[in-house]
Amino acid sequence: MDAAPPSPAGGPTDAGVARAQPESLSHLFWAFTWLALQGFGGVLAVAQRELVERLGWMTREEFVETLAVAQVLPGPNIVNISLMIGDRFFGLRGAMVALAGMMAFPAVIVLALAALSTTWLASPRMTGALRGMGAVSAGLILATGFKLLPSLRKNPVGVGPGLALAALVFGATVWLKLPLFWIVLSVGGLGMALAAVALKRSRTA
């Protein structure tokens, strides 16, 4: 077993309370494996519950900030999150172990199903069932979004502007149907500018 590292530097911690962290690389690997295996219909909601509520490796605010960075970077956001969390606790080794935990067992399961059940997965009944899972996935994402709303209270942008930005993203996605790249570039850039102004004002005050 690998020795647990010291508390990660740079991350915010509650006053007088030590932040929970993985005990070893194997603990990190199995935590992300369990997270990935629960991710039917979307892993993001499961990640928030596991990393914030059950394991306590992150605060709600830290999860939102990490997700924001992961959303901007290329690649699936949950994969980016696993890399960043692994690196936070164990450096490059942790990043690779967390990524392996996210990908190894799900890849084996998906490849096995693809090899054994091509005809079954293409059947009309299975296609309809998978479409039904889409509604579940949307519900999980919405529920996660509502659970993360209180984190706006500690965001430098503030609750009102944060909700306005969220509404802009919703409108651009649902009604305007803009590509994600342009939404991140425009609304994300606006959010970054508002945060920079708010932080500058707080420093001068």
Side-chain angles (χ1 to χ4, degrees), residues 3 7 27 51 61 67 69-70 75-76 78 81 83 92 102 124 128 137 148 153 189 201 205:
S7 181
H27 184 199
L51 298 173
E61 291 74 24
L67 175 61
V69 176
I78 189 61
I81 288 174
L83 287 168
L92 181 60
M102 277 297 307
S137 178
L148 295 176
R153 296 171 185 168
R201 287 178 179 174

Side-chain angles (χ1 to χ4, degrees), residues 27-141:
H27 184 199
L28 182 71
F29 174 83
W30 289 113
F32 274 98
T33 297
W34 174 238
L35 187 159
L37 291 176
Q38 295 179 76
F40 294 95
V43 184
L44 188 59
V46 179
Q48 190 275 335
R49 187 183 69 231
E50 289 290 309
L51 298 173
V52 176
E53 298 175 11
R54 190 178 74 84
L55 294 171
W57 291 353
M58 313 177 75
T59 64
R60 193 173 292 175
E61 291 74 24
E62 286 176 318
F63 183 82
V64 171
E65 292 169 3
T66 305
L67 175 61
V69 176
Q71 192 75 44
V72 174
L73 295 174
N77 51 29
I78 189 61
V79 172
N80 295 337
I81 288 174
S82 69
L83 287 168
M84 287 188 283
I85 293 176
D87 178 73
R88 174 184 296 183
F89 291 114
F90 294 100
L92 181 60
R93 292 186 306 158
M96 294 298 101
V97 167
L99 178 62
M102 277 297 307
M103 304 298 293
F105 282 89
V108 171
I109 293 172
V110 170
L111 289 173
L113 288 175
L116 298 175
S117 308
T118 304
T119 304
W120 176 64
L121 289 174
S123 67
R125 290 184 179 180
M126 195 61 196
T127 302
L130 293 175
R131 286 177 180 172
M133 283 299 297
V136 176
S137 178
L140 286 171
I141 294 172

Side-chain angles (χ1 to χ4, degrees), residues 150-186:
S151 65
L152 290 177
R153 296 171 185 168
K154 298 182 180 179
N155 192 287
V157 173
V159 176
L163 291 175
L165 291 171
L168 284 175
V169 171
F170 183 83
T173 304
V174 175
W175 289 304
L176 299 180
K177 295 180 171 51
L178 294 179
L180 179 60
F181 174 81
W182 295 112
I183 295 174
V184 171
L185 191 65
S186 57

